[in-house]
């Protein structure tokens, strides 16, 4: 996997206190890049209205320019200044914002989000995060901030400031250190189209969304998403969240030279001689597994092993999002 080339910056790492947040808002205002915690993963923020800043963000991440970005805003009123909300969007915003849900809606008439951030689409992806640091930063900045995960594109998403620094030191202006994140997988993305569509599973289980809507979400087939000329939302590339090591899913045994990413109390044959073992949740708790997922993938990847065997994980609740990330991590690159 090739790494992006970018001019080296002096990266500050500051605690996410009032001083650090004020400094981060000033960096965003002058077109700089700021990594900051949300409840899902750390995001790499740029002024959503500043195409030059967004171009620098793409460059820092090595992110394909056809992959759209999520605009993060401080509250629902700010969201309605950049997007048009139908009854479905209104219902979901009322139920899950602030929180780990992104809504893809038609752009408002004078939507300030730069075309580069929407990848030329006439829709815009919007989220109101729940994390108090993220909300304080958005309020201090006073505008929308695009914020994909704060890592080199395709690498494992970051759940601590240390993960961000490992990928992006010298590529971004400032990292706000707010400690480990709460959720650990990215936001669920729902397209508010004629039929509400699950574009990416994530931090809000699809069952909870369907309960609010009183109907099933449309789930495009994986082949249909891969055949699309461009993604409708972030995180829809077939190969994504990928460690350098190969990822083998549905493992029922472990080879001696493999690492094991376990789930639940059961032991697999060969686990005792595995190169390394980390258990996402010994209790079999999907919420605990989601929190640990990216950090554990990073930890195993940095140990120098060549293959990671992953135990099966139930696909209900947050398991759907976990398995989605793992499938993308295992996809050919």
């Amino acid at each position: 996997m090739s790494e992006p080339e970018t001019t080296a910056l002096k990266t500050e790492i500051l605690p996410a206190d009032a001083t650090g947040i004020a400094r981060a808002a000033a960096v965003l205002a002058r077109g700089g890049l700021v990594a900051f915690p949300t409840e899902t993963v750390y995001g790499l923020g740029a002024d959503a209205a500043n195409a030059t800043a967004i171009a620098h963000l793409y460059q820092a991440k090595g992110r394909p320019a056809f992959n759209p970005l999520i605009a993060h805003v401080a509250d629902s009123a700010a969201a309605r200044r950049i997007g048009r909300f139908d009854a479905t969007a209104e219902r979901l915003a009322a139920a899950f914002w602030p929180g780990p849900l992104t809504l893809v809606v038609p752009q408002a008439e004078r939507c300030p989000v730069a075309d580069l951030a929407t990848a030329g689409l006439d829709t815009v992806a919007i989220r109101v995060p729940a994390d108090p640091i993220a909300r304080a930063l958005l309020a201090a900045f006073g505008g929308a901030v695009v914020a994909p995960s704060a890592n080199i594109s395709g690498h494992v998403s970051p759940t601590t400031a240390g993960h961000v620094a490992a990928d992006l030191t010298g590529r971004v202006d400032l990292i706000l250190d707010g400690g480990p994140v709460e959720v650990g997988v990215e936001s669920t993305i729902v397209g508010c189209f004629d039929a509400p569509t699950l574009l990416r599973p994530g931090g809000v289980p699809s069952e909870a969304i369907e309960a609010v809507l009183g109907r099933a979400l449309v789930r495009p087939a994986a082949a249909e998403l891969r055949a699309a000329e461009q993604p409708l939302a972030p995180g829809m590339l077939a190969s994504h969240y990928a460690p350098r090591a190969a990822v083998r899913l549905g493992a029922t045994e472990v080879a001696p030279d493999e690492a094991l990413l376990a789930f639940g109390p059961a032991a697999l044959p060969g686990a005792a001689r595995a190169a390394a073992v980390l258990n996402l949740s010994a209790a079999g708790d999907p919420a605990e597994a989601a929190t640990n997922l990216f950090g554990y993938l990073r930890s195993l990847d940095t140990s120098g092993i060549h293959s990671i065997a992953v135990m099966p994980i139930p696909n209900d609740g947050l398991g759907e999002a976990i398995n989605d990330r793992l499938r993308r991590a295992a996809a050919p690159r």
Side-chain angles (χ1 to χ4, degrees), residues 221-282:
E224 181 183 343
L225 295 178
R226 285 195 295 270
E229 291 185 6
Q230 69 180 72
L232 294 174
M236 293 176 63
L237 297 177
S239 176
H240 208 61
Y241 317 104
R244 293 173 178 83
V247 176
R248 183 169 68 87
L249 303 180
T252 56
E253 60 181 10
V254 189
D257 60 345
E258 283 188 307
L260 172 63
L261 190 63
F263 178 80
L268 289 191
R273 63 179 187 272
V277 178
L278 289 176
N279 197 323
L280 290 169
S281 173

Side-chain angles (χ1 to χ4, degrees), residues 23-220:
R23 170 69 178 148
V27 170
L28 290 171
R30 66 170 172 78
L33 302 181
V34 173
F36 62 96
T38 76
E39 71 274 22
T40 56
V41 298
Y42 273 71
L44 178 57
D47 179 357
N50 186 331
T52 300
I54 295 165
H56 290 160
L57 184 153
Y58 280 126
Q59 183 182 37
K61 281 183 60 72
R63 188 183 180 98
F66 53 80
N67 201 0
L69 303 175
I70 297 170
H72 295 68
V73 292
D75 52 39
S76 294
R80 289 170 180 80
R81 288 194 286 272
I82 64 177
R84 291 186 282 119
F85 283 60
D86 63 8
T88 294
E90 293 284 3
R91 188 178 305 171
L92 293 177
F96 298 109
W97 279 357
L101 177 68
T102 292
L103 300 178
V104 177
V105 299
Q107 293 185 31
E109 185 177 351
R110 293 181 177 83
C111 177
V113 177
D115 289 342
L116 187 58
T118 62
L121 299 171
D122 59 5
T123 55
V124 60
I126 310 173
R127 182 160 89 92
V128 179
D131 183 88
I133 296 168
R135 291 172 65 80
L137 176 59
L138 291 166
F141 174 63
V145 172
V146 291
S149 57
N151 56 292
I152 290 174
S153 188
H155 284 194
V156 179
S157 297
T159 55
T160 69
H163 295 161
V164 179
D167 264 17
L168 297 180
T169 294
R171 302 178 187 277
V172 303
D173 298 278
L174 175 62
I175 300 170
L176 277 180
D177 187 350
V181 303
E182 179 183 351
V183 176
V185 293
E186 290 86 349
S187 61
T188 303
I189 302 180
V190 172
C192 298
F193 310 137
D194 290 340
T197 302
L198 181 67
L199 298 177
R200 181 181 75 183
V204 177
S206 56
E207 296 92 335
I209 296 169
E210 290 171 336
V212 168
L213 293 178
R215 61 185 296 187
L217 291 165
V218 173
R219 288 172 166 80

